[in-house]
Amino acid sequence: MSKKLKNLKFWIHTFGCQMNENDSERLVGLLRRAGAELSVSPESSDLVIINTCAVREKSEEKLYSLLGRMEALKKRKKLIIGVMGCVAQLHKSRLIEKKPSIDFIVGPDNYLDIPRILSESWPDKVISTRWSPHWHGFSPDDVSRKSPVSAYVTIMEGCNNFCSYCIVPFTRGQEKFRPLSRILEEVRYLASRGYKEIQLLGQNVNVYRDPEKGRGFIELLEAVNRVKGIEWIRFITSHPKNFSPAMAQVMKDSEHVCHQLHLPVQSGSSSILEAMNRGYTRDDYLDKIGFLRDLMPDISLSTDIIVGFPGETEEDYRQTADLLRQVRFTNIFSFCYSPRPLTAAAKKTDSVPFEVKGQRLMEIQRIQKDIQLEENTSMIGDVVKVLCLGRNKRDSRLYSGRNQGHQVVNFTSDSDVIKRFVDVRIVSCGPYL
Ligand code: 5AD
Ligand code: SF4
């Protein structure tokens, strides 16, 4: 155990996706193992780490605003400030030039270096952003997980697709895959600790290829499905270009794989999809939705939408709105297009005016809200199976969980049902059940 880390109090804030959450969980575990202590606030900490997201300009701005607060705190007390993740990788040393209060910068591939950086190098400024083509191993009990019920398991990282709007290939690097033997080791470990649900993570899970024996995503799902004790298996993110009928079939045939899929469409217009370099058309996407629903009529589908991509006409936008009405997703995540450095689309004129993007986004969200309210209302009176994840954060008299479709369900119970599956009768709902 490093003397310098013993009793060091640290606080960590995570922006961005589930993979960032999982990276932070691993870092917390690692720092704890080195003797440091997780603290409840930056004010009571010696070290603050910010895990960052670069996917939109707004995500990046959130870092600068939090950094502002941390800089003010650093004037009042001794504080080490570290920035990790995608913004760190994108800007490297430029970030320290812009914000000299930062002590170290580590990319998404280098955060396992943090304990060493802290014990050997500090107070020198350190920048560690070298990408490695190899999977960095870790032991499952080094992960300090937020939930005792549902766990993230990263299976691959990086992306080779170069969608024209997307910064991820430049921050997370090329695809690399975790060996299936290591994935199964972690899943079995989680089952032995009483976890009921796992969420397999990767920027494009469908292209998974086991580096040891060449097994693909289907074999991975089948193998994870055989692990005793894990009742619900989910995976995120799928790419419509790589999601095959055989994958839908294995979802249907595997007892524990939830009938739930996040399949980001981004736009309902084939010409915009081509400009985005997505590798499928509107009809290809709708065909996939068709075979998924034929196989699993109860499947819950969600998606991501970008409005205001360069060159998006009113007609292109209408096609996106129309696709939402046609598919009737359970949930969507929608964004205004934001030009990102290094991407192909950033070289195009950001032609859709700010106000038009905003109007389109509002309308998309209104259309979807109506759909969700209708769909959710139709569930009133049904009894649904819910995995109880804990108490409701705002009202501790309520329990909170999710159904198989990954919708939040709040409910009352006379006994403690945390970590258990319960049948819940739906008595009321909102658009965001
Ligand atoms: N502008 C707006 N939204 C973006 N996303 C990715 N890049 C951008 C961008 N430049 C969205 C996509 C992706 C989700 C994680 O973020 O919809 O699926
Ligand atoms: Fe954000 Fe993408 Fe990095 Fe996740 S991988 S933190 S979504 S930029």
Side-chain angles (χ1 to χ4, degrees), residues 55-56 165-166 264 266 304-306 335-340:
V55 81
R56 283 169 292 278
Y165 53 81
C166 186
Q266 313 297 359
D304 291 344
I305 300 283
I306 298 176
F335 313 100
C336 288
Y337 167 72
S338 160
R340 302 309 290 136

Side-chain angles (χ1 to χ4, degrees), residues 9 55 97 119 168 173 199-201 244 248-249 257 269 271 275 311 316 331 337-338 361 378 381 412 427:
K9 291 201 170 58
V55 81
E97 284 158 23
S119 55
V168 172
Q199 302 194 53
L200 305 170
L201 300 183
S244 63
Q249 189 66 47
V257 178
S269 150
S271 60
D316 292 316
N331 190 11
Y337 167 72
S338 160
L361 186 70
S378 75
T412 54
V427 291

Side-chain angles (χ1 to χ4, degrees), residues 252-265:
K252 179 188 163 87
D253 295 343
S254 307
E255 187 188 344
H256 300 292
V257 178
C258 290
H259 289 186
Q260 177 250 322
L261 185 69
H262 184 64
L263 200 61
V265 64

Side-chain angles (χ1 to χ4, degrees), residues 150-167:
S150 176
Y152 294 130
V153 175
T154 300
I155 65 165
M156 60 87 65
E157 208 191 320
C159 185
N160 295 0
N161 283 321
F162 294 94
C163 300
S164 63
Y165 53 81
C166 186
I167 202 166

Side-chain angles (χ1 to χ4, degrees), residues 16-17 20 52-55 86 167-168 171-172 203:
C17 60
N20 263 19
T52 58
C53 173
V55 81
C86 290
I167 202 166
V168 172
T171 59
R172 292 249 172 207
Q203 269 75 33

Side-chain angles (χ1 to χ4, degrees), residues 41 73 147 206 335 386:
S41 68
L73 186 62
S147 163
N206 312 127
F335 313 100
V386 172

